[in-house]
Amino acid sequence: MSGPLFTVSAPPHWHSGRLSRQIFWESILALSPVLVMAVIGYGLPAVRVLALAGAAAVVVEAVCERLQGRELDVDNGHALLTGLVFACLLPAAAPWWLVLVGVGVAIGVGKHVFGGLGTSPVVPALLGYAVCQISWPGLLRYDFVQLDSLFSWPLADLKYYGRAAAEAHGYADLLLGRQLGGLGACQAGAALAGGLFLVARGIVPWRIPVFFLAGLAASAFAYQLAYPDLAADPLFHLLAGSTLFAAFFLAPEMACAPAGRAAMAGYGLLAGVLVMIIRAYGVWPEGTTFAILLANLTTPLWDRIRPRAFGKGRA
Amino acid sequence: MKARGRFPLQAELSGPIRPGPLPSVVRIPLCGLAALVAVGELVRAGQPVARGEGLTRGDAHTPVAGEVESISGDTLVIRTDPAGGEVAPAPLPPGLSGEGLAASLRAMGLDLDGLEHAALLIVNAVNPEPGVRAPQRILHDFQPALAEGVKVLKRLVGAGRVVLAVARGTELGLPGTERVEIEPVYPLGLAALVVRAVTGRESFAGVSIVDVARVLAAGEAAAGRPVTGTIVSLGADEFRLALGTTLAELFALAGVTPHGGDRVLIGGPLRGAAQHTLEAPVSKWDQALTVVPAGSHPGFGDEACINCGACTRICPVRIMVSLMNRACEFGHYDLALRYDLDVCLECGLCAFVCPARRPILQYIRLARAELRSRAEPLGSVP
Ligand code: SF4
Ligand code: SF4
């Protein structure tokens, strides 16, 4: 039979048009205010860490895919995004080899050992960060390595010098990233702006950041009630350090967050509460990293709570 | 709206229904039917040409007069003779009920699946998907025949109560029915979700649901006219087509010219069946023809699932699609069943939103076909 050849496939024949690559590139766009503020705040050293991490992530990804005989898909932006997010957690003064080790772990182990895109059980950038933090804790002490900075590390101030030192940081300063921390992670206002963009675009489901922040704020409030002299107020916890960055760029990482609505809320809440527990009782002032890694490990459990499917509810 | 998968169902109707072409040939699919005529036989318009098998399948009638040209495989082809005769309508005897009524309706071409004995009969007049306005059009244009059809089908199922499900904002009703308004957003017009909206229960128990096209057919059957046509949306218009009309002849009349690479669908864009040839015929209960131009929507790929959960969140029947579709893909059909494969409505929204362009509905259908073939003893015919 002659005539034009038509496309045949199973339905649906429409597609929303939103593709994976678009999600990752838009996430990079959402990250750009953070990157700009990082460069303004830390200058060339931040450019150095960001560029190195981004480039290394792309190369490691390409090598991993080549070794596995997979089709190269580094152009979808996910590796670059992971590299940049990882770099944002580092101090601007991080040595080059630390950047490379962290990126290697993040992409090589965090992403590819488990099967590549979409399969990571924990946020790849956080895995890279955690390995660095455990192996060379001194190099990630922002207050040890960033000696030339005018700012101080608010969460360390809280831990070592108490509430008054912490609250000497004005909220506006915290929002503007006038604080010591991960070079991008401490850009609280920029992270919030980028995060709101991600939520508005439907890339980040709002429940995860909202419940994460709510969990942290509520537990900070409870802690304040229990120890009025020691504890900083909840708003401080929301703005200090990497909280907002974690809420929008780490906790919602698709591969390792649950999908159901109630599950996302529970997961976010748990991660937020864990942040406060680590900040109050842990040895490390920041808390977001390990809180989210732990919450990631509970994702399969959260995924089990779901409403019953149509017609299968208790009659 | 559209990008997030919220499709309004109700649309402005264009001018009156347009007549379809007088087809030069009609093609009647014989799936589930046994031919009653032989090659070379002359037939009159409205004459039964194939008998439905089983308890629900209606007979097939030719919409045109002509000569049986071929019976090959599963298609019966009749070449039209415009000068041929017509079978005079023979109205059903009034007061028929039960099995006698069912048999007469089948003999008039009605398919009776889903029309079991039930206390509640729901007449679904909500458009099933975007671009498909046939139900809206039928409710608007065929009030007397529908009223008759409601009476007939109410008697058939023995219903005490008949509910008309209509899109919110529609004024129309039908005598002998209570109206229940449905939010006209896809997929809320699909049968299972309409039943839930009407009864508040996620179950078909005690309910028979039928779309307005079949109610119209029942009304016409009562007046003695068998099912020989269907009303379809195409572009902005509705056409009344003779069954068996090929897409090629309709498209020529409507001025639609699909190009290579386009998708030519019988049905709407979300659930329609893609055709590889314009020689495909329009069959009973078809509601729309759709052309999706090449390049207007990304096609399916086989990228890795990024685990974004969009499919799970959009599923109207609360399936964990992100897990279920992977179980289907890798052949773990029992696991897929545990992930509620059985309740899927095949609405296609999961694949519509999937950023990895995974052919999720194809995986689902494959899994269902595999499970069906497993359930059947060897050698039996589906
Ligand atoms: S096609 Fe099935 S699984 Fe997919 S969204 Fe619709 S009902 Fe859910
Ligand atoms: S929408 Fe596609 S990519 Fe996202 S979880 Fe579902 S199958 Fe995976």
Side-chain angles (χ1 to χ4, degrees):
Chain A
M1 212 171 286
S2 63
L5 280 178
F6 300 122
T7 302
V8 176
S9 80
H13 306 281
W14 279 356
H15 188 278
S16 68
R18 160 145 324 161
L19 305 181
S20 307
R21 61 172 50 247
Q22 189 187 341
I23 290 178
F24 300 135
W25 283 107
E26 282 191 23
S27 301
I28 293 173
L29 183 67
L31 194 60
S32 58
V34 167
L35 304 182
V36 169
M37 289 301 285
V39 172
I40 292 174
Y42 293 99
L44 270 187
V47 176
R48 183 189 63 105
V49 173
L50 286 167
L52 182 59
V58 169
V59 171
V60 174
E61 166 110 330
V63 169
C64 286
E65 289 183 339
R66 189 45 64 70
L67 288 179
Q68 297 170 81
R70 292 193 175 194
E71 224 172 286
L72 284 194
D73 63 359
V74 291
D75 56 330
N76 67 18
H78 184 260
L80 179 60
L81 175 65
T82 303
L84 291 175
V85 166
F86 169 72
C88 283
L89 299 170
L90 295 180
W96 61 268
W97 55 267
L98 187 73
V99 178
L100 293 187
V101 169
V103 167
V105 171
I107 303 284
V109 181
K111 182 169 175 188
H112 282 285
V113 162
F114 295 102
L117 193 59
T119 57
S120 317
V122 295
V123 181
L126 281 180
L127 187 69
Y129 181 83
V131 165
C132 293
Q133 190 179 335
I134 291 166
S135 310
W136 300 281
L139 289 177
L140 290 176
R141 290 292 307 226
Y142 308 118
D143 45 352
F144 292 2
V145 298
Q146 208 80 50
L147 297 172
D148 57 345
S149 174
L150 296 173
F151 307 129
S152 67
W153 186 8
L155 288 162
D157 292 344
L158 175 66
K159 195 159 202 71
Y160 305 117
Y161 308 111
R163 183 182 151 188
E167 289 179 352
H169 294 268
Y171 294 141
D173 284 346
L174 292 177
L175 262 179
L176 287 172
R178 295 152 154 308
Q179 54 174 324
L180 203 52
L183 62 91
C186 70
Q187 311 298 339
L192 179 62
L196 292 178
F197 170 77
L198 288 176
V199 171
R201 294 288 295 147
I203 292 175
V204 162
W206 63 267
R207 282 182 177 79
I208 294 179
V210 166
F211 280 91
F212 174 78
L213 296 173
L216 174 56
S219 43
F221 182 66
Y223 192 67
Q224 202 181 21
L225 287 182
Y227 305 96
D229 310 328
L230 295 176
D233 69 289
L235 191 55
F236 171 83
H237 281 286
L238 294 184
L239 298 178
S242 56
T243 310
L244 284 166
F245 183 80
F248 292 104
F249 291 94
L250 297 174
E253 168 86 29
M254 290 166 178
C256 23
R261 291 183 178 86
M264 290 192 293
Y267 161 88
L269 214 52
L270 174 72
V273 171
L274 284 173
V275 171
M276 190 56 214
I277 291 177
I278 295 174
R279 284 184 182 177
Y281 302 103
V283 292
W284 187 253
E286 192 68 63
T288 49
T289 335
F290 284 102
I292 294 176
L293 283 174
L294 279 174
N296 285 162
L297 299 180
T298 66
T299 290
L301 299 176
W302 291 114
D303 269 335
R304 300 184 76 98
I305 46 161
R306 52 175 203 261
R308 297 187 187 205
F310 189 87
K312 294 190 176 177
R314 273 149 271 146
Chain B
M1 285 286 259
K2 194 181 135 191
R4 297 281 172 92
R6 259 186 85 83
F7 302 101
L9 293 175
Q10 201 70 356
E12 285 290 303
L13 294 176
S14 62
I17 295 190
R18 295 174 61 180
L22 175 69
S24 58
V25 294
V26 295
R27 295 168 182 272
I28 296 171
L30 287 178
C31 177
L33 300 167
L36 295 173
V37 290
V39 175
E41 206 172 311
L42 296 179
V43 292
R44 288 175 301 152
Q47 177 180 333
V49 291
R51 172 141 345 269
E53 289 162 347
L55 288 175
T56 58
R57 204 57 202 272
D59 297 351
H61 302 73
T62 171
V64 295
E67 181 184 348
V68 179
E69 189 172 84
S70 66
I71 303 176
S72 62
D74 50 7
T75 311
L76 187 150
V77 183
I78 295 165
R79 181 152 299 276
T80 307
D81 173 8
E86 194 177 339
V87 177
L92 294 190
L96 268 182
S97 66
E99 190 38 48
L101 178 58
S104 322
L105 290 175
R106 283 201 306 274
M108 283 297 191
L110 251 88
D111 294 323
L112 301 182
D113 43 289
L115 284 168
E116 280 106 37
H117 197 80
L120 172 64
L121 174 66
I122 301 176
V123 174
N124 185 5
V126 185
N127 293 333
E129 54 172 308
V132 183
R133 299 167 304 267
Q136 184 185 348
R137 170 63 84 174
I138 289 171
L139 183 66
H140 183 266
D141 284 22
F142 296 96
Q143 287 273 329
L146 286 174
E148 190 55 38
V150 167
K151 281 192 217 152
V152 172
L153 293 183
K154 182 176 181 189
R155 232 182 308 138
L156 178 73
V157 305
R161 189 176 157 224
V162 185
V163 164
L164 174 71
V166 283
R168 181 170 304 149
T170 307
E171 304 288 306
L172 294 167
L174 279 177
T177 67
E178 304 160 34
R179 279 164 41 98
V180 170
E181 296 197 345
I182 306 288
E183 187 188 356
V185 170
Y186 187 71
L188 299 181
L190 301 185
L193 302 178
V194 168
V195 169
R196 176 177 66 188
V198 172
T199 66
R201 282 181 293 125
E202 296 185 336
S203 155
F204 283 94
V207 182
S208 274
I209 180 163
V210 62
D211 52 285
V212 273
R214 279 200 286 169
V215 180
L216 173 61
E220 305 235 304
R225 285 185 295 273
V227 183
T228 56
T230 184
I231 290 164
V232 300
S233 300
L234 170 61
D237 295 323
E238 271 72 53
F239 289 86
R240 185 165 206 174
L241 297 184
L243 294 179
T245 304
T246 59
L247 304 192
E249 290 192 319
L250 170 62
F251 285 179
L253 176 84
V256 174
T257 323
H259 303 280
D262 292 356
R263 293 165 190 240
V264 176
L265 313 175
I266 293 184
L270 294 165
R271 302 185 308 154
Q275 305 298 314
H276 70 279
T277 166
L278 296 183
E279 294 309 307
V282 171
S283 315
K284 258 183 218 176
W285 322 127
D286 285 345
Q287 296 180 308
L289 299 163
T290 309
V291 177
V292 179
S296 61
H297 291 266
F300 294 120
D302 58 350
E303 290 172 41
C305 166
I306 61 171
N307 208 12
C308 65
C311 51
T312 297
R313 284 190 289 272
I314 205 164
C315 178
V317 290
R318 306 187 301 274
I319 298 173
M320 287 280 282
V321 189
S322 49
L323 296 177
M324 187 265 274
N325 91 84
R326 276 177 279 180
C328 293
E329 179 185 11
F330 294 113
H332 300 303
Y333 302 127
D334 295 300
L335 184 63
L337 266 184
R338 263 188 279 142
Y339 286 133
D340 306 310
L341 172 68
D342 52 324
V343 301
C344 171
L345 305 177
E346 306 205 357
C347 71
L349 282 175
C350 48
F352 173 83
V353 297
C354 175
R357 298 182 294 137
R358 292 166 60 76
I360 301 177
L361 196 47
Q362 187 173 327
Y363 294 144
I364 289 172
R365 289 181 168 183
L366 175 66
R368 287 185 152 172
E370 290 288 331
L371 285 167
R372 258 199 312 276
S373 70
R374 206 196 274 174
E376 270 147 17
L378 278 179
S380 80
V381 187

PDB file of all heavy atoms in Angstrom, chain B residues 304-311 322 325 350 353-356 358 360, ligand 2:
ATOM      1  N   ALA B 304      16.343   6.557  30.676  1.00  0.00           N
ATOM      2  CA  ALA B 304      16.194   6.027  32.028  1.00  0.00           C
ATOM      3  C   ALA B 304      15.178   6.857  32.797  1.00  0.00           C
ATOM      4  O   ALA B 304      15.072   8.062  32.621  1.00  0.00           O
ATOM      5  CB  ALA B 304      17.539   6.065  32.740  1.00  0.00           C
ATOM      6  N   CYS B 305      14.423   6.171  33.639  1.00  0.00           N
ATOM      7  CA  CYS B 305      13.513   6.849  34.557  1.00  0.00           C
ATOM      8  C   CYS B 305      14.341   7.688  35.522  1.00  0.00           C
ATOM      9  O   CYS B 305      15.281   7.186  36.123  1.00  0.00           O
ATOM     10  CB  CYS B 305      12.719   5.784  35.315  1.00  0.00           C
ATOM     11  SG  CYS B 305      11.850   6.411  36.756  1.00  0.00           S
ATOM     12  N   ILE B 306      14.047   8.951  35.665  1.00  0.00           N
ATOM     13  CA  ILE B 306      14.809   9.790  36.598  1.00  0.00           C
ATOM     14  C   ILE B 306      14.150   9.811  37.961  1.00  0.00           C
ATOM     15  O   ILE B 306      14.553  10.560  38.837  1.00  0.00           O
ATOM     16  CB  ILE B 306      15.000  11.222  36.067  1.00  0.00           C
ATOM     17  CG1 ILE B 306      13.651  11.917  35.849  1.00  0.00           C
ATOM     18  CG2 ILE B 306      15.803  11.214  34.783  1.00  0.00           C
ATOM     19  CD1 ILE B 306      13.805  13.397  35.536  1.00  0.00           C
ATOM     20  N   ASN B 307      13.114   9.015  38.117  1.00  0.00           N
ATOM     21  CA  ASN B 307      12.465   8.853  39.421  1.00  0.00           C
ATOM     22  C   ASN B 307      11.872  10.161  39.925  1.00  0.00           C
ATOM     23  O   ASN B 307      11.917  10.449  41.120  1.00  0.00           O
ATOM     24  CB  ASN B 307      13.481   8.315  40.432  1.00  0.00           C
ATOM     25  CG  ASN B 307      12.792   7.507  41.510  1.00  0.00           C
ATOM     26  OD1 ASN B 307      11.616   7.165  41.381  1.00  0.00           O
ATOM     27  ND2 ASN B 307      13.494   7.215  42.569  1.00  0.00           N
ATOM     28  N   CYS B 308      11.314  10.937  39.014  1.00  0.00           N
ATOM     29  CA  CYS B 308      10.818  12.243  39.425  1.00  0.00           C
ATOM     30  C   CYS B 308       9.462  12.126  40.114  1.00  0.00           C
ATOM     31  O   CYS B 308       9.034  13.042  40.808  1.00  0.00           O
ATOM     32  CB  CYS B 308      10.681  13.141  38.205  1.00  0.00           C
ATOM     33  SG  CYS B 308       9.451  12.545  37.047  1.00  0.00           S
ATOM     34  N   GLY B 309       8.770  11.014  39.910  1.00  0.00           N
ATOM     35  CA  GLY B 309       7.490  10.815  40.587  1.00  0.00           C
ATOM     36  C   GLY B 309       6.312  11.535  39.943  1.00  0.00           C
ATOM     37  O   GLY B 309       5.202  11.479  40.460  1.00  0.00           O
ATOM     38  N   ALA B 310       6.538  12.203  38.830  1.00  0.00           N
ATOM     39  CA  ALA B 310       5.431  12.938  38.192  1.00  0.00           C
ATOM     40  C   ALA B 310       4.301  11.998  37.807  1.00  0.00           C
ATOM     41  O   ALA B 310       3.122  12.325  37.949  1.00  0.00           O
ATOM     42  CB  ALA B 310       5.950  13.686  36.963  1.00  0.00           C
ATOM     43  N   CYS B 311       4.650  10.807  37.314  1.00  0.00           N
ATOM     44  CA  CYS B 311       3.643   9.838  36.890  1.00  0.00           C
ATOM     45  C   CYS B 311       2.781   9.418  38.083  1.00  0.00           C
ATOM     46  O   CYS B 311       1.555   9.354  37.987  1.00  0.00           O
ATOM     47  CB  CYS B 311       4.311   8.625  36.249  1.00  0.00           C
ATOM     48  SG  CYS B 311       5.634   7.908  37.245  1.00  0.00           S
ATOM     49  N   SER B 322       5.556   5.023  39.134  1.00  0.00           N
ATOM     50  CA  SER B 322       7.013   4.993  38.952  1.00  0.00           C
ATOM     51  C   SER B 322       7.554   3.594  39.252  1.00  0.00           C
ATOM     52  O   SER B 322       8.506   3.156  38.616  1.00  0.00           O
ATOM     53  CB  SER B 322       7.681   6.045  39.840  1.00  0.00           C
ATOM     54  OG  SER B 322       7.196   5.952  41.156  1.00  0.00           O
ATOM     55  N   ASN B 325       5.512   0.845  36.527  1.00  0.00           N
ATOM     56  CA  ASN B 325       5.896   0.772  35.109  1.00  0.00           C
ATOM     57  C   ASN B 325       7.255   0.114  34.928  1.00  0.00           C
ATOM     58  O   ASN B 325       7.510  -0.526  33.924  1.00  0.00           O
ATOM     59  CB  ASN B 325       5.794   2.152  34.451  1.00  0.00           C
ATOM     60  CG  ASN B 325       7.057   2.977  34.505  1.00  0.00           C
ATOM     61  OD1 ASN B 325       7.954   2.834  33.683  1.00  0.00           O
ATOM     62  ND2 ASN B 325       7.156   3.871  35.488  1.00  0.00           N
ATOM     63  N   CYS B 350       0.212   9.472  32.753  1.00  0.00           N
ATOM     64  CA  CYS B 350       1.551   9.196  33.276  1.00  0.00           C
ATOM     65  C   CYS B 350       2.590   9.387  32.172  1.00  0.00           C
ATOM     66  O   CYS B 350       3.604  10.039  32.370  1.00  0.00           O
ATOM     67  CB  CYS B 350       1.625   7.794  33.871  1.00  0.00           C
ATOM     68  SG  CYS B 350       0.933   6.499  32.828  1.00  0.00           S
ATOM     69  N   VAL B 353       3.206  13.092  31.097  1.00  0.00           N
ATOM     70  CA  VAL B 353       4.073  13.949  31.903  1.00  0.00           C
ATOM     71  C   VAL B 353       5.491  13.407  32.058  1.00  0.00           C
ATOM     72  O   VAL B 353       6.353  14.114  32.570  1.00  0.00           O
ATOM     73  CB  VAL B 353       3.504  14.196  33.320  1.00  0.00           C
ATOM     74  CG1 VAL B 353       2.187  14.938  33.269  1.00  0.00           C
ATOM     75  CG2 VAL B 353       3.356  12.888  34.086  1.00  0.00           C
ATOM     76  N   CYS B 354       5.738  12.175  31.651  1.00  0.00           N
ATOM     77  CA  CYS B 354       7.046  11.572  31.954  1.00  0.00           C
ATOM     78  C   CYS B 354       8.169  12.312  31.232  1.00  0.00           C
ATOM     79  O   CYS B 354       8.232  12.306  30.009  1.00  0.00           O
ATOM     80  CB  CYS B 354       7.068  10.104  31.546  1.00  0.00           C
ATOM     81  SG  CYS B 354       8.693   9.359  31.778  1.00  0.00           S
ATOM     82  N   PRO B 355       9.080  12.941  31.977  1.00  0.00           N
ATOM     83  CA  PRO B 355      10.140  13.697  31.308  1.00  0.00           C
ATOM     84  C   PRO B 355      11.146  12.798  30.594  1.00  0.00           C
ATOM     85  O   PRO B 355      11.863  13.269  29.728  1.00  0.00           O
ATOM     86  CB  PRO B 355      10.809  14.471  32.454  1.00  0.00           C
ATOM     87  CG  PRO B 355      10.426  13.773  33.690  1.00  0.00           C
ATOM     88  CD  PRO B 355       9.140  13.061  33.435  1.00  0.00           C
ATOM     89  N   ALA B 356      11.175  11.531  30.955  1.00  0.00           N
ATOM     90  CA  ALA B 356      12.080  10.619  30.268  1.00  0.00           C
ATOM     91  C   ALA B 356      11.414  10.016  29.028  1.00  0.00           C
ATOM     92  O   ALA B 356      12.009   9.171  28.367  1.00  0.00           O
ATOM     93  CB  ALA B 356      12.539   9.513  31.214  1.00  0.00           C
ATOM     94  N   ARG B 358       9.096   7.921  28.685  1.00  0.00           N
ATOM     95  CA  ARG B 358       8.964   6.458  28.711  1.00  0.00           C
ATOM     96  C   ARG B 358       7.588   6.054  28.178  1.00  0.00           C
ATOM     97  O   ARG B 358       6.587   6.674  28.524  1.00  0.00           O
ATOM     98  CB  ARG B 358       9.155   5.945  30.143  1.00  0.00           C
ATOM     99  CG  ARG B 358      10.586   6.134  30.620  1.00  0.00           C
ATOM    100  CD  ARG B 358      10.691   5.942  32.107  1.00  0.00           C
ATOM    101  NE  ARG B 358      10.272   4.613  32.537  1.00  0.00           N
ATOM    102  CZ  ARG B 358      10.991   3.510  32.394  1.00  0.00           C
ATOM    103  NH1 ARG B 358      12.179   3.570  31.842  1.00  0.00           N
ATOM    104  NH2 ARG B 358      10.543   2.358  32.821  1.00  0.00           N
ATOM    105  N   ILE B 360       5.065   4.436  28.914  1.00  0.00           N
ATOM    106  CA  ILE B 360       4.527   3.739  30.083  1.00  0.00           C
ATOM    107  C   ILE B 360       3.272   2.943  29.737  1.00  0.00           C
ATOM    108  O   ILE B 360       3.109   1.800  30.155  1.00  0.00           O
ATOM    109  CB  ILE B 360       4.219   4.758  31.208  1.00  0.00           C
ATOM    110  CG1 ILE B 360       5.491   5.520  31.589  1.00  0.00           C
ATOM    111  CG2 ILE B 360       3.639   4.051  32.422  1.00  0.00           C
ATOM    112  CD1 ILE B 360       5.277   6.596  32.629  1.00  0.00           C
TER     113      ILE B 360
HETATM  114  S1  SF4 C   2       7.428  10.292  35.168  1.00  0.00           S
HETATM  115 FE1  SF4 C   2       8.882   9.030  34.008  1.00  0.00          FE
HETATM  116  S2  SF4 C   2      10.886   9.625  34.798  1.00  0.00           S
HETATM  117 FE2  SF4 C   2       9.376  10.374  36.270  1.00  0.00          FE
HETATM  118  S3  SF4 C   2       9.217   8.702  37.777  1.00  0.00           S
HETATM  119 FE3  SF4 C   2       7.613   8.351  36.258  1.00  0.00          FE
HETATM  120  S4  SF4 C   2       8.564   6.947  34.774  1.00  0.00           S
HETATM  121 FE4  SF4 C   2      10.225   7.838  35.972  1.00  0.00          FE
END
